[in-house]
Amino acid sequence: MKIVKTIEEVREQVKAWRKEGLSVGLVPTMGYLHEGHQSLIARSVAENDRTVVSDFVNPIQFGPTEDLATYPRDLERDAALCEATGANLIFNPEAEEMYAPDFCTYVDMDHLTKGLCGASRPIHFRGVCTVVSKLFHIVQPDRAYFGQKDAQQLAVIRRMVRDLNMPLEIVGCPIIREEDGLAKSSRNTYLSAEERQAALCLSRALNKGKAAIEAGETDAAKVKAIITAEIKAEPLSRIDYVEIVDWNNLEPVASTEGSILTAIAVYIGKTRLIDNFIIER
């Protein structure tokens, strides 16, 4: 496995693989990899001849008051996980490699990015779409892998690829959780021991909401109330949003019938965590 820092090195390696007739998978990450990322890498390794993992904390998807400076980074640890899982190349550029000093071209989306996380993070998805688009152009993969934990991101990337006729497949992969139910996240490292325990209110609330739907509840407002009450019962929590939306267009729904995404964002102390479940019918 190789670690490269420049776009040219990635392109030269992929060009060599293509000459051999090999397929290429891409796993875009911001590093500080955990078992959730590892599951994406393993899926890519199983479905492609070669796998590229991008390891880049993308500055343009962070707002001015967000955690760009403190976002956890550990390339040595990431490299060990990638190699053990079967990845072939890590692309770990500096910000200056990805964005020229006079960079001014962005990929934006009008609709799917306005609600859910986009409501409180207005520049986030412009940054995500731009960097992911750049990675697709650099690597030119056959498939790219994204986790369901970032469900809005998955929906946005799928729509971008469709709308812009990008020649690759987007593969969504299930949420990976800790044994106690907390969704794996690099930001979990920010939590104190007390906050880590409090964070279980997210998965607990979603489980209650999902159970209500499976028991026959079709009123989205009632399901949201069940989830909201469970989160508010935790004193360290502060809700950003609890939403039930159509999984295809991310529009709010009144009924839980059909394919739906139930998504939440909750602050535990100062740490913002997200979680969700999807029911596809």
Side-chain angles (χ1 to χ4, degrees):
M1 188 193 71
K2 294 196 296 185
I3 301 174
V4 300
K5 306 290 286 189
T6 69
I7 293 167
E8 185 60 31
E9 288 174 294
V10 176
R11 286 179 165 161
E12 286 299 316
Q13 180 61 79
V14 172
K15 183 179 178 181
W17 289 338
R18 293 302 190 188
K19 283 185 177 179
E20 298 179 51
L22 302 176
S23 61
V24 177
L26 170 66
V27 182
T29 84
M30 292 209 302
Y32 211 74
L33 306 182
H34 51 65
E35 290 88 345
H37 300 105
Q38 189 171 29
S39 72
L40 306 182
I41 298 167
R43 178 85 175 266
S44 178
V45 168
E47 295 180 352
N48 303 277
D49 298 312
R50 297 291 184 268
T51 291
V52 178
V53 178
S54 64
D55 191 316
F56 175 59
V57 180
N58 177 37
I60 68 169
Q61 71 187 63
F62 288 79
T65 62
E66 294 180 342
D67 57 341
L68 173 61
T70 60
Y71 195 86
R73 297 161 170 85
D74 190 337
L75 180 59
E76 184 176 348
R77 177 174 169 272
D78 293 347
L81 182 148
C82 287
E83 187 159 28
T85 313
N88 304 98
L89 186 73
I90 294 177
F91 178 39
N92 177 235
E94 298 297 328
E96 295 76 15
E97 177 71 10
M98 294 294 283
Y99 303 111
D102 57 351
F103 182 88
C104 61
T105 304
Y106 298 88
V107 179
D108 209 347
M109 187 176 293
D110 282 338
H111 184 62
L112 272 66
T113 61
K114 301 307 181 188
L116 303 176
C117 288
S120 59
R121 305 184 72 191
I123 70 165
H124 176 70
F125 286 109
R126 184 179 79 159
V128 169
C129 287
T130 301
V131 74
V132 171
S133 178
K134 285 173 68 69
L135 289 169
F136 289 170
H137 285 296
I138 293 164
V139 179
Q140 297 186 11
D142 298 284
R143 300 173 189 88
Y145 297 80
F146 295 85
Q148 181 194 309
K149 186 180 76 70
D150 297 294
Q152 186 176 16
Q153 173 179 272
L154 174 59
V156 165
I157 296 302
R158 280 178 169 163
R159 182 65 64 87
M160 179 183 77
V161 166
R162 190 205 73 178
D163 287 357
L164 299 183
N165 306 109
M166 295 179 172
L168 76 155
E169 177 187 357
I170 301 301
V171 181
C173 299
I175 298 173
I176 303 300
R177 299 183 179 277
E178 304 282 0
E179 287 186 11
D180 58 11
L182 183 66
K184 296 272 189 179
S185 170
S186 300
R187 288 187 170 96
N188 291 349
T189 59
Y190 297 161
L191 301 171
S192 68
E194 183 184 12
E195 290 169 341
R196 172 64 180 76
Q197 190 64 31
L200 297 179
C201 71
L202 278 79
S203 58
R204 191 165 59 241
L206 287 175
N207 287 339
K208 287 192 172 184
K210 189 174 185 181
I213 295 171
E214 291 172 344
E217 181 58 71
T218 60
D219 187 328
K222 291 181 180 179
V223 176
K224 287 172 61 175
I226 291 168
I227 294 169
T228 299
E230 184 65 31
I231 296 169
K232 285 187 172 180
E234 169 50 59
L236 296 183
S237 72
R238 177 168 60 88
I239 293 174
D240 183 355
Y241 66 78
V242 174
E243 296 290 349
I244 301 178
V245 299
D246 186 299
W247 175 224
N248 298 304
N249 59 27
L250 305 187
E251 286 284 347
V253 295
S255 169
T256 61
E257 297 176 319
S259 295
I260 61 161
L261 164 66
T262 301
I264 60 177
V266 179
Y267 286 91
I268 302 295
K270 295 182 179 179
T271 304
R272 185 177 181 276
L273 302 176
I274 59 174
D275 203 347
N276 67 81
F277 67 81
I278 295 169
I279 296 176
E280 297 194 72
R281 300 186 179 97

